Amino acid sequence: MKVAIACDHAAFRLKEAIRAHLEEQGVSYRDFGIYDAGEKRDYPYASLYACRAIQSGECELGIVLCGTGVGVSMAANKMPGIRAACCGDSFSAQYTRAHNNANVLCMGERVIGEGLACQLVDLFLSTPFEGGRHARRVAQIEALEKGELE
Ligand code: RB5
C-alpha cells in the first residue's frame, strides 16, 4: 500500500511530522510537497497532486493537509473517485474508513497537534472498509457524483 501525501504552506511542519512518522512505521509513500517551509502553495493544488495519484492507481490512500483541513477536503471532494474526510478525532478517522471507504484523510496544522495527527493517520491507514450495507451507501455517493442519484 502506497500513500500520497501533500500540503499547502500552512501545513508544511505537520506534513514533515507525518512523513517522518510514515518512515518510522515503514509505510510506503510519495510526497507531493511542498518541500520547503518558505514555499507557497494554494491548498487546492495540494489536493490536486495527491488525489491525482489516487485516481491513477499509483497510491491507494492519501493524506492532505492545510491550515484547517477543510479547504483541502473541499477541493479533494471535487475530484471523481475521491472521498476525502476532514478529521480531528480518532473515532471519525477510524469510521470514515470503515463506513465511508474514505480514501483521503485531511487534517489542519492549526487545529490538531502532531501526536494526535499521527494517531489519526495510523487509524486511517489500518482500518479496512467494512462493506456490506455501507457499500450500498458509498455506491450512492458515486451515483451522486455522476448526477445519477434519484
Ligand atoms: C492558508 O492560509 C489557509 O487558508 C489554508 O491552509 C486552509 O486553512 C484553508 O482551508
Side-chain angles (χ1 to χ4, degrees):
M1 201 246 304
K2 191 168 167 189
V3 176
I5 183 164
C7 68
D8 76 350
H9 53 265
F12 176 71
R13 271 183 306 142
L14 183 60
K15 194 262 290 175
E16 287 299 290
I18 291 172
R19 201 172 61 75
H21 181 70
L22 295 177
E23 292 270 356
E24 273 173 29
Q25 302 294 311
V27 176
S28 164
Y29 68 89
R30 180 165 168 198
D31 183 359
F32 288 90
I34 54 175
Y35 304 105
D36 183 276
E39 202 179 325
K40 293 282 180 201
R41 173 196 271 168
D42 291 334
Y43 62 82
Y45 287 92
S47 302
L48 175 68
Y49 300 138
C51 295
R52 261 188 191 158
I54 295 171
Q55 289 176 318
S56 73
E58 179 192 344
C59 295
E60 193 180 314
L61 296 174
I63 299 166
V64 190
L65 312 163
C66 67
T68 59
V70 176
V72 282
S73 66
M74 287 179 158
N77 279 317
K78 297 292 180 194
M79 297 177 67
I82 299 303
R83 290 176 300 279
C86 181
C87 296
D89 68 277
S90 56
F91 190 87
S92 302
Q94 181 175 347
Y95 280 87
T96 198
R97 284 285 307 127
H99 289 186
N100 315 127
N101 201 12
N103 49 16
V104 177
L105 173 65
C106 298
M107 295 181 289
E109 179 179 299
R110 296 169 180 164
V111 180
I112 58 173
E114 292 175 4
L116 177 57
C118 290
Q119 195 175 65
L120 302 196
V121 165
D122 291 345
L123 282 167
F124 188 80
L125 299 185
S126 63
T127 304
F129 178 48
E130 279 179 19
R133 68 187 189 283
H134 302 296
R136 183 180 72 246
R137 294 161 186 162
V138 172
Q140 289 164 359
I141 295 176
E142 286 164 358
L144 185 65
E145 186 175 271
K146 293 178 191 148
E148 293 170 358
L149 189 67
E150 297 292 335

